[in-house]
């Protein structure tokens, strides 16, 4: 399974098949600001990176997260 | 266009340029809410256009309107979060309806403001509160929402208090003290909580924390501290001495205008960011007060889209300290808050808007 999808699914406590590239932050109750912080921690642990505040604010969809991770050379 | 506000420096525009940008955006917001929010329209239409309180570009509503009415400018199904303010005893809380767009703008604006003070890197963060204030995820109290909003700026979050008993969580504090000695950490809490339940308890326990160049951001009224004769200078002195917070910034903001907060600079003044402005008004006739004159604080924000909260008359007194001339170098108006308005005056302010508002028209 795609590593990023797996991490997002785990953080949002949703089955992986619900995680699409278009899924947006704050578009479903499961992806609220609390889940977002959990997701940040999971991403940092999984990829060994430290995200900046602007990255977290920019993580507005799964596709966007993928784009931000590529900046850190993290193979998402 | 709201995007213009994110392309400019947050404290960089001089008076004339900022005024032009703001009045265009605020005027658009007034038209948007007038068309989209029926109760708002009925409030405004009770006045001849040239007699609107605060002027026709951005007439102000008293904040109490959000306690009395459900004011929303988006269809119900677009509201994904409702924020409530605790309100004073015996009063209904304010209810603020957020859609995804407004929530996103709030976060982006707050990020621009706060990172301009603390930098883009997320620092280890100590939250001077207890974890249960962020438990209810669907309806946040202003306190919970404030904490969550600030958590974005930190990492390795720990809560400094255990639970409603307000006891210090020594385990969290020891963890931080051992992991980050001589490092900058970031702490956030509400003014009274920080003073009473953090600094005073550390003092009573005879503990000093080892952080260096640490940043404390706090918000909330000074009322309780003034009663104990704790000034901002005393607060800062104790925060530095006991906890190593050499950078302490208070901020003024309302739950009705989350995001566009007014941060205190190194010179001790509260600053209007590009996204917001402040006007001090004489409660007798609502004229704008000059620099140095005390009056009622009106707050303006370009962020509220899903509810008509872009121009609000607060229940606080304040005084302008200057414009584009702060010793810290930031542009914009600076001011200080002088405390709450006396009750009778608050009533006087709300009575200005005693017109009936049709019920059931709001989302
Ligand atoms: Zn300043």
């Amino acid at each position: 399974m795609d590593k990023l999808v797996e991490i997002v699914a785990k953080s949002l406590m949703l089955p992986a098949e619900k995680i699409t590239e278009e899924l947006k932050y704050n578009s479903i109750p499961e992806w609220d600001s609390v889940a977002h912080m959990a997701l940040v921690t999971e991403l940092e642990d999984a990829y060994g990176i430290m995200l900046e505040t602007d990255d977290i604010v920019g993580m507005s969809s799964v596709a966007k997260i993928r784009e931000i991770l590529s900046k850190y050379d993290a193979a998402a | 266009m709201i995007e213009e506000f994110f392309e400019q420096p947050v404290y960089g525009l001089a008076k004339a340029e900022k005024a032009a940008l703001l009045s265009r955006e605020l005027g658009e917001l007034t038209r948007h809410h007038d068309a989209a929010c029926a109760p708002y329209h009925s409030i405004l239409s009770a006045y001849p256009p040239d007699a609107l309180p605060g002027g026709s570009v951005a007439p102000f509503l008293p904040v109490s309107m959000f306690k009395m009415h459900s004011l929303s400018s988006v269809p119900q199904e677009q509201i994904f979060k409702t924020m409530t303010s605790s309100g004073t005893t015996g009063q209904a809380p304010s209810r603020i309806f957020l859609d995804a767009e407004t929530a996103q703008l709030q976060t982006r604006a707050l990020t621009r403001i706060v990172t301009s003070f603390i930098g883009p890197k997320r620092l280890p963060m100590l939250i001077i509160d207890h974890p249960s204030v962020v438990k209810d995820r669907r309806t946040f109290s202003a306190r919970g929402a404030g904490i969550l909003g600030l958590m974005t700026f930190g990492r390795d979050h720990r809560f400094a208090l255990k639970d409603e008993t307000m006891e210090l969580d020594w385990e969290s504090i020891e963890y931080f003290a051992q992991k980050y000695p001589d490092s900058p950490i970031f702490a956030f809490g509400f003014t009274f909580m920080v003073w009473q339940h953090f600094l005073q308890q550390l003092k009573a326990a005879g503990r000093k924390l080892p952080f260096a160049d640490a940043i404390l951001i706090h918000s909330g009224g000074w009322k309780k501290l003034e009663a104990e004769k704790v000034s901002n200078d005393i607060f800062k002195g104790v925060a530095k001495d006991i906890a190593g917070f050499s950078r302490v910034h208070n901020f003024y903001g309302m739950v009705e205008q989350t995001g566009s907060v007014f941060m205190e600079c190194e010179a001790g003044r509260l600053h209007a960011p590009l996204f917001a402005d402040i006007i001090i008004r004489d409660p007798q006739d609502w004229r704008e007060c000059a620099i140095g004159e005390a009056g009622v604080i009106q707050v303006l924000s370009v962020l509220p889209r899903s509810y008509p909260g872009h121009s609000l008359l607060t229940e606080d007194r304040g005084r302008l300290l200057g414009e584009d001339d702060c010793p810290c170098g930031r542009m914009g108006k600076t001011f200080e808050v002088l405390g709450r308005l006396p009750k009778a005056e608050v009533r006087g302010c709300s009575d200005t808007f005693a017109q009936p508002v049709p019920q059931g028209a709001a989302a």
Side-chain angles (χ1 to χ4, degrees), chain A residues 13 25-27 29-37 40-41 44 50-54 56-58 60, chain B residues 80-81 100 103-104 107-108 111-112 115 119-122 134 137-138 140 148 151-155 157:
Chain A
M13 292 187 268
Y25 172 54
N26 271 341
S27 67
E30 289 84 355
W31 193 354
D32 64 0
S33 50
V34 178
H36 203 62
M37 288 314 297
V40 167
T41 308
E44 290 187 329
M50 206 175 274
L51 295 164
E52 294 195 346
T53 302
D54 275 341
I56 299 179
V57 175
S60 53
Chain B
F80 84 102
K81 189 164 281 180
Q104 171 78 352
T107 306
R108 290 174 65 202
T111 303
R112 292 297 300 274
T115 55
K121 296 244 183 294
R122 289 154 55 229
V134 293
R137 290 169 64 156
R138 201 54 204 154
F140 285 123
L148 270 169
M151 280 175 74
T152 314
F153 306 102
R155 59 185 174 84
H157 308 93

Side-chain angles (χ1 to χ4, degrees), chain B residues 2 5-6 10-11 18 22 25-26 29 83 96 98 102-114 117 145-146 149-150 153 219 250-264 270-279 297-305 307 309-312 314 333 335:
Chain B
I2 186 69
F5 287 81
F6 292 96
V10 65
Y11 298 106
K18 179 175 175 180
L22 265 185
E25 192 68 22
L26 290 169
L29 278 174
M83 296 212 297
I96 304 299
L98 295 181
T102 299
Q104 171 78 352
L105 289 174
Q106 290 178 343
T107 306
R108 290 174 65 202
L110 187 68
T111 303
R112 292 297 300 274
I113 295 167
V114 174
F117 281 86
L150 269 294
F153 306 102
S219 85
N250 182 222
F251 74 76
Y252 177 70
M254 337 224 84
V255 66
E256 292 84 357
Q257 288 186 354
T258 299
S260 53
V261 298
F262 302 92
M263 288 279 285
E264 175 195 353
L270 295 166
H271 272 264
L274 184 59
F275 311 100
D277 212 1
I278 197 111
I279 295 173
I297 299 177
Q298 178 192 352
V299 288
L300 297 140
S301 169
V302 296
L303 307 177
R305 318 262 133 180
Y307 62 96
H310 58 303
S311 174
L312 298 172
T314 71
K333 286 184 187 168
F335 66 104

